[in-house]
Amino acid sequence: MTDRTSAIQACMRLKNVYEDYPFDDDNWTAMRHRENGKIFALIFFRNGDFWINLKALPQMGAVWRQQFPRSVFAAYHMNKMHWIGVLLDGSLSDELIFSLISDSYVLTLPASAKSRLRAKK
């Protein structure tokens, strides 16, 4: 995954999401939940590369940054404890990036949807 289109397509594989451009800057694509409008991914171009900011549990964000120090960073323009920035330069597999996207999606689900997920397990 190395561009905005593939990142958006990966996010759109999840249920009840939509693409939004909330800032007066087309560089920033926000991927949101339809139920609560919360952002679970921000896709943008910076310093010659595409990036995606994703929500992560603080301890997992630290693990990802340590495990992939050239690809996962504290998120640009976001709370550094709760968000990670993933460089979309092809160094991480699409499967891993989709897993991180899915984790962010679950962390930002409305409470009612989270309880439905727990009930299914």
Side-chain angles (χ1 to χ4, degrees):
M1 193 173 308
T2 59
D3 59 51
R4 182 184 314 272
T5 301
S6 59
I8 291 169
Q9 288 172 345
C11 292
M12 294 299 287
R13 290 171 46 193
L14 301 165
K15 290 184 178 187
N16 297 319
V17 302
Y18 67 98
E19 176 181 347
D20 187 20
Y21 294 85
F23 313 117
D24 289 328
D25 181 355
D26 288 341
N27 183 45
W28 290 86
T29 305
M31 300 305 298
R32 297 178 181 265
H33 292 278
R34 286 201 185 278
E35 296 95 339
N36 63 6
K38 282 189 177 181
I39 293 172
F40 66 92
L42 280 167
I43 305 158
F44 59 99
F45 189 79
R46 180 171 180 256
N47 295 336
D49 290 298
F50 282 98
W51 293 77
I52 187 167
N53 284 348
L54 301 165
K55 188 145 192 179
L57 293 172
Q59 64 272 26
M60 289 309 300
V63 167
W64 292 121
R65 287 190 302 272
Q66 183 177 9
Q67 191 168 2
F68 301 103
R70 294 197 169 133
S71 303
V72 180
F73 302 87
Y76 179 66
H77 275 310
M78 304 295 281
N79 180 309
K80 309 296 187 225
M81 181 181 290
H82 298 281
W83 288 81
I84 56 173
V86 178
L87 180 59
L88 300 178
D89 67 350
S91 61
L92 298 178
S93 71
D94 288 358
E95 294 79 18
L96 176 58
I97 295 170
F98 184 70
S99 176
L100 296 172
I101 290 169
S102 297
D103 289 349
S104 181
Y105 172 86
V106 170
L107 287 170
T108 55
L109 276 170
S112 60
K114 285 182 187 176
S115 62
R116 284 193 303 269
L117 274 179
R118 282 191 287 271
K120 286 182 181 180
K121 290 183 179 181

